[in-house]
Amino acid sequence: MPMAEPSRRARHRRGYGGPAFLLGPNFYAVRSYNPSMNYTLSIVHLGDRVMGGEPFAQRFPGSERAPTLAEVQEIQRRLTEHGYDTGGTDGRVGNDTMLAVQNFQRKIGMLPADGYAGVTLLARLRAAH
């Protein structure tokens, strides 16, 4: 029996000016093992490359460093204090944290509202307190 074409469910942008991804079922399968977005994107892209896929069409933004575990926990704590549900302050950026970030970004007019929990967002959260 032939396999149906897998459905794509979401787009995810990696920080301002970064590449956007069309995320399919393989992404979510890998992410269920390890919720790190960087790990998941790396593994899925590696699989694409092994199968003959092209390199990324756009480079990742290099101007913003990734937040530390303590900084992600602070982002989650501050978002929670502002009334957003992050699903906890465990330092793992999951769907709840990304949605909370995106809603906060929209509220303060931070564009693009991409759900990226980076150090620029943290600075805006600190200023909003």
Side-chain angles (χ1 to χ4, degrees), residues 57-75:
Q58 181 178 350
R59 296 176 54 87
F60 277 72
S63 61
E64 182 173 328
R65 69 170 174 78
T68 65
L69 173 67
E71 288 170 329
V72 172
Q73 289 171 322
E74 182 181 351
I75 288 168

Side-chain angles (χ1 to χ4, degrees), residues 5 12 41 43 48-49 55 70 74 86 89 99 107 110 112 118:
E5 178 66 25
H12 178 70
L41 287 171
I43 294 299
D48 288 344
R49 293 302 308 267
E74 182 181 351
T86 63
T89 56
L99 183 60
K107 179 181 178 187
M110 186 176 176

Side-chain angles (χ1 to χ4, degrees), residues 3 6 44 46 51 70 77 88 105-106 108 110-111 118 122 127:
M3 292 183 60
V44 173
L46 176 61
M51 296 299 296
R77 182 179 51 76
Q105 289 171 322
R106 285 185 182 125
I108 65 168
M110 186 176 176
L111 297 176
L122 179 57

Side-chain angles (χ1 to χ4, degrees), residues 23-40:
L23 307 178
N26 287 346
F27 175 87
Y28 294 101
V30 172
R31 190 160 179 241
S32 71
Y33 168 74
N34 183 331
S36 166
M37 295 299 289
N38 291 336
Y39 173 84
T40 304

